[in-house]
C-alpha cells in the first residue's frame, strides 16, 4: 500500500487483531526526494523481512515501526533522512501492544539530524515497553551537527542487545 509516497504495511486491530504478516522487500531503493513524508511505515506487522534496501532523501523518518513483531532488517542503508525533531528509525508501541523481537543486522544510517534510532513506549501505552531488540554490526554516523542523542531508548525498553556498533557525530 502506498500513501503519499510512503510504503505502508498496515492493519487495524493491533496484536490481537488481523496483522499484516509474511511480507517485506529485498533489494529495493526508496527515494524520498526531500519530501515531508516518511518512507516505510508499519502498523501491527509481523514476520516481515527487509534485506538489501536503501531509504534516502526524506525530511522525516525512514522507518516508522509501530507495534511490529518478529521481523528482520539486514543490510539496510538510510541516508540524508530525518529532521531536528524526528528520528530516522522509530520503534514504538501503543495501547494495543509493543514492538518486539526485531533484528537489525548491518544497518547503516548516515547524514541525519537527530536520533538515528528512537525506541519509545508510544502514545497511550501502558504496562511494559518494547522488548527483544537486537542491533548487530551497525553504523550510525553523521558528519554534521546532531541535535540530540544518536541512539535513544526510553526507560521502558527491555532486552536491548547491541553488538559491534559504530556511533559518530561530526558536529
Amino acid at each position: 500500500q502506498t500513501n503519499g509516497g510512503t510504503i505502508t504495511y498496515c492493519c487495524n486491530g493491533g496484536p490481537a487483531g488481523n496483522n499484516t504478516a509474511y511480507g517485506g522487500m529485498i533489494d529495493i531503493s526508496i527515494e524520498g526526494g526531500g519530501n515531508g513524508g516518511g518512507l516505510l511505515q508499519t502498523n501491527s506487522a509481523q514476520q516481515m523481512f527487509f534485506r538489501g534496501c536503501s531509504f534516502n532523501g526524506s525530511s522525516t523518518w525512514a522507518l516508522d515501526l509501530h507495534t511490529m513483531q518478529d521481523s528482520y532488517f539486514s543490510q539496510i542503508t538510510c541516508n540524508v533522512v530525518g529532521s531536528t525533531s524526528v528520528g530516522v528509525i522509530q520503534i514504538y508501541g501503543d495501547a494495543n501492544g509493543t514492538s518486539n523481537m526485531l533484528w537489525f543486522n548491518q544497518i547503516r544510517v548516515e547524514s541525519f539530524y537527530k536520533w538515528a534510532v528512537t525506541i519509545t513506549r508510544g502514545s497511550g501505552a501502558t504496562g511494559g515497553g518494547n522488548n527483544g531488540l537486537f542491533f548487530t554490526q551497525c553504523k550510525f554516523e553523521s558528519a554534521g551537527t546532531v541535535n540530540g542523542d544518536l541512539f535513544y531508548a526510553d526507560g521502558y525498553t527491555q532486552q536491548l542487545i547491541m553488538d559491534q556498533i559504530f556511533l559518530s557525530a561530526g558536529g
Side-chain angles (χ1 to χ4, degrees), residues 51-122:
R51 185 188 75 218
C53 299
S54 64
F55 302 92
N56 304 304
S58 173
S59 60
T60 184
W61 42 264
L63 304 176
D64 184 68
L65 310 178
H66 174 220
T67 60
M68 185 172 201
Q69 299 97 29
D70 305 322
S71 297
Y72 300 86
F73 295 83
S74 179
Q75 300 169 342
I76 303 295
T77 300
C78 303
N79 195 10
V80 190
V81 289
S83 72
T84 58
S85 62
V86 177
V88 176
I89 299 172
Q90 301 182 132
I91 302 167
Y92 59 102
D94 65 16
N96 292 317
T98 61
S99 289
N100 63 70
M101 301 314 290
L102 301 179
W103 285 264
F104 298 88
N105 183 43
Q106 297 177 348
I107 306 301
R108 180 177 158 222
V109 177
E110 303 247 1
S111 298
F112 57 94
Y113 306 100
K114 186 170 190 174
W115 302 310
V117 177
T118 61
I119 305 168
T120 59
R121 189 161 75 156

